């Protein structure tokens, strides 16, 4: 089991997936908070039943899956509903993340979480790695990747923690603006070496 855990975070389109894929290529186990948040509402889960009771059957698709887009738009406009949902899901997501960390076997592991700091998940990790990028690159890269408009991406960026605030939590930073993928890989390789030695001394 990995006892040494790195929390990886950054805004939308900052490069979390790109960077975590590079760590995975180095055989580091990756735990993804987004995946954990989907697992806890799978068809048949207690949480999905509670959501159906609270919000109504029309929040469940005909295939039994949660209608995430509908739920997202409801909680965007209704603060009380958002608070109810968070109090249901956050403890379950945290449990799922801890269960996955317990399964990890690499010398250290990485928890990737877009809202690591907003949701206080940094309490679960030993070190925080922030990907830093300017807003223009975030918007340009996300528009190229997703069907969303630049205005929507900017709205999401505005709802997330500011770069300055996020960086104030950082133990390590990956700089991903005006950086080639080769340059990012070099930054990942040197952090990997650092994390292996930190994990070794942590286990002693
Ligand atoms: P996140 O997971 O943080 O939302 P991604 O890793 O998906 O971000 O990166 C957003 C998009 O930008 C992806 O399409 C990715 O391939 C691209 N990208 C990330 N870093 C770079 C880079 N240094 N140069 C060019 N494209 C990049």
């Amino acid at each position: 089991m990995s006892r040494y855990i790195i929390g990886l975070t950054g805004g939308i389109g900052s490069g979390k997936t790109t960077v975590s894929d590079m760590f995975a290529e180095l055989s580091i186990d990756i735990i993804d908070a987004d995946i954990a948040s989907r697992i806890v509402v799978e068809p048949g889960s207690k949480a999905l039943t509670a959501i159906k009771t609270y919000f109504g059957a029309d929040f469940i698709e005909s295939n039994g899956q949660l209608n995430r887009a509908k739920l997202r738009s409801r909680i965007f406009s209704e603060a009380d509903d958002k608070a109810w949902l968070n109090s249901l899901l956050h403890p379950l997501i945290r449990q799922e993340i801890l269960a996955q960390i317990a399964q990890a076997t690499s010398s250290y592991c990485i928890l990737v979480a877009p809202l690591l700091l907003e949701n206080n998940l940094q309490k679960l990790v030993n070190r925080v790695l922030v990907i830093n990028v300017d807003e223009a690159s975030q918007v340009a890269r996300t528009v190229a990747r997703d069907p969303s408009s630049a205005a929507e991406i900017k709205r999401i960026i505005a709802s997330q923690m500011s770069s300055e605030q996020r960086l104030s939590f950082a133990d390590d930073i990956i700089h991903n603006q005006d950086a080639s993928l080769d340059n990012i890989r070099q930054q990942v390789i040197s952090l990997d070496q650092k994390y292996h030695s930190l994990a070794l001394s942590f286990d002693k």
Side-chain angles (χ1 to χ4, degrees):
M1 169 180 158
S2 323
R3 293 202 304 136
Y4 201 68
I5 307 153
I6 309 296
L8 170 61
T9 193
I12 183 169
S14 59
K16 295 178 294 296
T17 309
T18 306
V19 166
S20 62
D21 285 352
M22 289 179 185
F23 278 104
E25 281 167 22
L26 301 173
S27 301
I28 299 306
D29 290 327
I30 309 293
I31 292 103
D32 185 323
D34 276 348
I35 294 176
S37 74
R38 278 183 228 127
I39 289 175
V40 301
V41 293
E42 273 175 355
S45 63
K46 284 194 178 128
L48 191 63
T49 305
I51 289 170
K52 186 174 171 183
T53 306
Y54 183 93
F55 289 98
D58 54 336
F59 281 76
I60 312 295
E61 314 232 28
S62 52
N63 62 8
Q65 298 279 345
L66 177 62
N67 186 333
R68 301 176 70 85
K70 193 173 166 102
L71 191 62
R72 217 173 10 248
S73 103
R74 164 70 83 90
I75 64 170
F76 187 72
S77 55
E78 299 290 338
D80 287 354
D81 289 345
K82 182 176 181 178
W84 180 88
L85 190 69
N86 284 347
S87 69
L88 171 74
L89 295 184
H90 284 185
L92 297 173
I93 294 168
R94 190 173 284 256
Q95 260 175 32
E96 176 61 32
I97 287 171
L98 288 171
Q100 290 191 23
I101 288 173
Q103 300 286 318
T105 55
S106 49
S107 81
Y108 68 92
C109 66
I110 294 189
L111 168 62
V112 184
L115 300 178
L116 184 84
L117 306 168
E118 289 86 340
N119 290 342
N120 260 322
L121 291 170
Q122 81 270 19
K123 289 185 183 152
L124 301 181
V125 307
N126 302 98
R127 243 178 132 76
V128 174
L129 169 58
V130 171
I131 307 183
N132 191 36
V133 70
D134 62 312
E135 184 171 324
S137 310
Q138 261 180 296
V139 174
R141 288 174 185 165
T142 311
V143 165
R145 184 194 62 186
D146 296 345
S148 318
S149 68
E152 274 173 90
I153 311 294
K154 283 185 185 164
R155 187 173 61 72
I156 293 170
I157 292 173
S159 76
Q160 297 182 332
M161 187 177 272
S162 71
S163 283
E164 292 70 32
Q165 244 186 316
R166 200 181 282 117
L167 286 172
S168 73
F169 287 92
D171 298 297
D172 304 296
I173 300 171
I174 286 188
H175 297 280
N176 190 17
Q177 57 199 58
D178 306 322
S180 66
L181 292 177
D182 272 349
N183 176 286
I184 303 300
R185 187 168 280 106
Q186 288 314 311
Q187 296 185 58
V188 166
I189 288 170
S190 78
L191 282 171
D192 175 63
Q193 287 164 356
K194 176 173 170 176
Y195 293 157
H196 275 296
S197 62
L198 284 169
L200 266 180
S201 44
F202 186 76
D203 279 334
K204 269 180 196 151

